[in-house]
Amino acid sequence: MKLSSQIKPISYLKSHTAEIVKSITESREPLIITQNGEAKLVVMDVKSFEEQEDTMALLKLLAMGNQEIQEGKFRAIEDIFSELDNQG
């Protein structure tokens, strides 16, 4: 998380909700909410959240692919193209 993220107490969230929504939507910077001085949650805009979810999904696919390569679960590209040519 960026160090430039805003940090506010939960009371600020309760009393400035509309302002926070506008600010986060425009800046796309997350807001860290604290309770009793301890970080408890992060508020972020939907577009940033969706982009983060997409990035995580791609990283999981890459990790799975790397593991399959390490386990020898792959085929040479020439074999795949040859198989495709023979199907047509």
Side-chain angles (χ1 to χ4, degrees):
M1 182 174 304
K2 297 178 184 177
L3 294 177
S4 62
S5 298
Q6 293 185 44
I7 301 172
K8 300 288 184 186
I10 197 165
S11 59
Y12 184 84
L13 176 65
K14 292 176 184 176
S15 61
H16 295 88
T17 306
E19 178 184 323
I20 290 169
V21 169
K22 183 179 181 208
S23 173
I24 292 174
T25 302
E26 289 174 359
S27 72
R28 300 199 57 202
E29 289 290 322
L31 173 65
I32 299 170
I33 300 297
T34 61
Q35 187 174 34
N36 298 323
E38 186 177 332
K40 290 292 184 176
L41 60 103
V42 176
V43 179
M44 64 191 324
D45 66 288
V46 171
K47 186 165 176 61
S48 294
F49 176 77
E50 289 171 344
E51 289 172 356
Q52 185 177 1
E53 289 294 302
D54 289 346
T55 300
M56 291 301 293
L58 287 172
L59 288 173
K60 286 179 183 178
L61 287 173
L62 287 171
M64 288 170 50
N66 283 338
Q67 183 166 352
E68 288 182 357
I69 290 170
Q70 290 175 353
E71 294 171 355
K73 298 178 182 177
F74 64 91
R75 294 174 36 197
I77 192 71
E78 294 83 8
D79 295 342
I80 294 170
F81 283 135
S82 176
E83 185 179 311
L84 291 172
D85 287 341
N86 292 334
Q87 290 178 2

